[in-house]
Structure formats: structure tokens, C-alpha cells
Amino acid sequence: MIKLENIYFEYEDGNKVLEAFDFEIKAGERIALKGSNGAGKTTVFKLIMGLIKAQKGKLHIFGKERKKEKDFLEVRERVGYLFQDSDNQLFCPTVEEDIAFGPINLGKSRSQAKKIVEEKLKLVEMEGFEKKASYNLSQGQKKIIAFASVLAMEPELLLLDEPFASLDKESAARMVYILKKISQPFVLVSHNDKLSQKVIDKSYSI
Ligand SMILES: Nc1ncnc2c1ncn2[C@@H]1O[C@H](COP(=O)(O)OP(=O)(O)OP(=O)(O)O)[C@@H](O)[C@H]1O
């Protein structure tokens, strides 16, 4: 599904993060991307989403080489990206508007979007949260709702940046349960090895 070949990337300030980096995710795989703080894990996610561009190397995503901004428009529709910080992912007044935002943007009607909101809240076991104000949720609740909003776009592949961070025991167990239940392949970045091991089938170190 995704193949990164011989990637070189440095930030504008000259911070060299990736050099001759190779990475692949095949259909059905669930991979943990591991590395110390600052190793470049989030940078890899941003490259896949086309939010930053590699100076060297090739990105093959969904069977095509992706180079220019327009190549990544389709990638962003097909790949779900759960941000490290849920505050950057939730920006609507209510939970239902946040979850409906993506589907409506993808052309769904209001009633279709409402159905998706119900389905996804059921999936993450947070029924009844529709009318709650997103900004009043706890950090753990925000993470789960942010994930519901990502899943609402029916992505084919997921990039999950610290899905267990700031979750208490109960919410972490819920996240594990959701990750086991969904059908999509995913790449996960987490400093919580114990929880990651419950949901992945292989790991890859930067
Ligand atoms: N916009 C930026 N400009 C310059 N340097 C950056 C930028 N964003 C990240 N970096 C640096 O690039 C390196 C890789 O950052 P990145 O966030 O990809 O690491 P990470 O492996 O995800 O780290 P962590 O485990 O701490 O989340 C770090 O040294 C970071 O400080």
C-alpha cells in the first residue's frame, strides 16, 4: 500500500531527520514504527500525507508514485491520520459536528453524516456524546472522539500518532478494543510498548 524508498529529509533549518530511509506497509499489516524521541516518526507520517516533501527518494502510495501537492489530495482522502495532539483534530463546537465534518467534506448528505456519527460513536462506545462540547471533553475522551472522526471518513489505511497517550486505563483498554475491532491496516507510533504489542503484528525501527 505504501513504500518509501531511500528517503532523505531535512527541515528548513537544516535539521537532518531521515537519510536513506526505507519503509513499507502491505495490505492487512499492523505495524509499530519505533524510535527514540526526535527520531523522525511523526516526520514519516507528515511525508506520507504530503504535508512536507522529501528532498530525495520515492514515495509509492496506493500504486502510484506521489511527488506533487496534487498527488497527495487523493492520499489524504484515503489515509486516516490520528494526530498526536487531539486539540489539533477537534475544531467544531460539538462532538457530532466534529465527526460529521469529514464525511460532509467528502460529499455525504446531512442525514448520511448523522448516521455515520451514530455508527462511529457506537463503535468507540461513546453513544450519547453527540451534543457535548468538544472543548469540554477530557484529553482521553478527545483522543477517542478524534479517532471516531478519522474513522468516519472510512479510510483505507490509518496512521496513528500516540493513540494511547493521555488515556487512563479504561480509555486505553477501549482504544485497544477499537484497534482490534476495525478492519483497516495501520502504522502506529507509541511509547507504550505493552499496549502496542496487543494490536500490532510487527514493528519497524527508525
Ligand atoms: N517544523 C520543524 N522544523 C524543524 N525541525 C523540526 C520540525 N518538526 C520536527 N522537527 C525536528 O525533527 C526531528 C524529528 O521530529 P519528529 O517529530 O518526527 O520525531 P518523533 O520521532 O516523532 O519524536 P517523538 O517521539 O518525540 O514524538 C526532531 O529533532 C524535531 O525537533
Side-chain angles (χ1 to χ4, degrees):
M1 296 186 99
I2 292 185
K3 194 170 185 186
L4 272 54
E5 275 180 312
N6 203 22
I7 298 290
Y8 177 95
F9 178 80
E10 63 178 41
Y11 282 100
E12 275 175 18
D13 61 4
N15 186 0
K16 192 182 350 164
V17 182
L18 300 169
E19 208 174 351
F21 177 73
D22 294 318
F23 178 68
E24 184 170 11
I25 175 161
K26 297 188 186 130
E29 285 186 330
R30 298 176 156 213
I31 301 177
L33 185 59
K34 296 169 88 161
S36 49
N37 286 130
K41 303 176 295 295
T42 302
T43 301
V44 171
F45 282 180
K46 288 188 204 158
L47 283 166
I48 293 171
M49 298 305 279
L51 304 174
I52 51 177
K53 304 283 187 294
Q55 284 89 11
K56 278 186 216 158
K58 288 186 175 172
L59 284 94
H60 298 273
I61 307 177
F62 301 128
K64 273 193 210 164
E65 192 181 350
R66 312 279 170 171
K67 283 185 191 163
K68 302 199 174 101
E69 176 58 19
K70 72 171 173 42
D71 300 333
F72 286 95
L73 299 178
E74 186 199 358
V75 173
R76 288 183 207 130
E77 283 189 6
R78 296 173 66 183
V79 176
Y81 183 12
L82 181 70
F83 298 161
Q84 191 164 4
D85 183 355
S86 310
D87 286 321
N88 292 334
Q89 201 131 33
L90 302 174
F91 41 81
C92 294
T94 65
V95 164
E96 66 181 349
E97 286 166 282
D98 263 317
I99 300 175
F101 185 86
I104 286 172
N105 239 1
L106 292 177
K108 303 277 185 206
S109 68
R110 294 259 157 207
S111 66
Q112 284 170 321
K114 193 169 189 290
K115 200 161 162 265
I116 293 170
V117 171
E118 279 167 23
E119 266 171 34
K120 298 309 168 198
L121 282 176
K122 189 159 183 252
L123 173 71
V124 301
E125 298 187 318
M126 288 184 73
E127 293 117 312
F129 273 69
E130 287 85 344
K131 304 285 178 207
K132 290 204 191 280
S134 300
Y135 61 85
N136 279 340
L137 300 177
S138 70
Q139 281 307 313
Q141 289 168 335
K142 279 184 188 172
K143 182 77 86 182
I144 304 274
I145 294 298
F147 194 27
S149 75
V150 169
L151 293 173
M153 288 182 279
E154 302 292 352
E156 291 164 52
L157 172 83
L158 295 161
L159 304 179
L160 310 170
D161 204 341
E162 294 289 354
F164 307 115
S166 68
L167 298 186
D168 63 15
K169 229 174 160 187
E170 193 190 319
S171 302
R174 182 177 307 187
M175 185 59 92
V176 167
Y177 163 81
I178 302 164
L179 289 173
K180 283 186 171 175
K181 202 155 114 176
I182 58 173
S183 57
Q184 290 96 334
F186 56 76
V187 186
L188 166 160
V189 164
S190 172
H191 289 285
N192 191 327
D193 276 345
K194 210 171 142 203
L195 290 176
S196 299
Q197 285 307 325
K198 290 181 194 272
V199 295
I200 56 148
D201 30 56
K202 70 179 194 186
S203 58
Y204 189 98
S205 295
I206 295 192

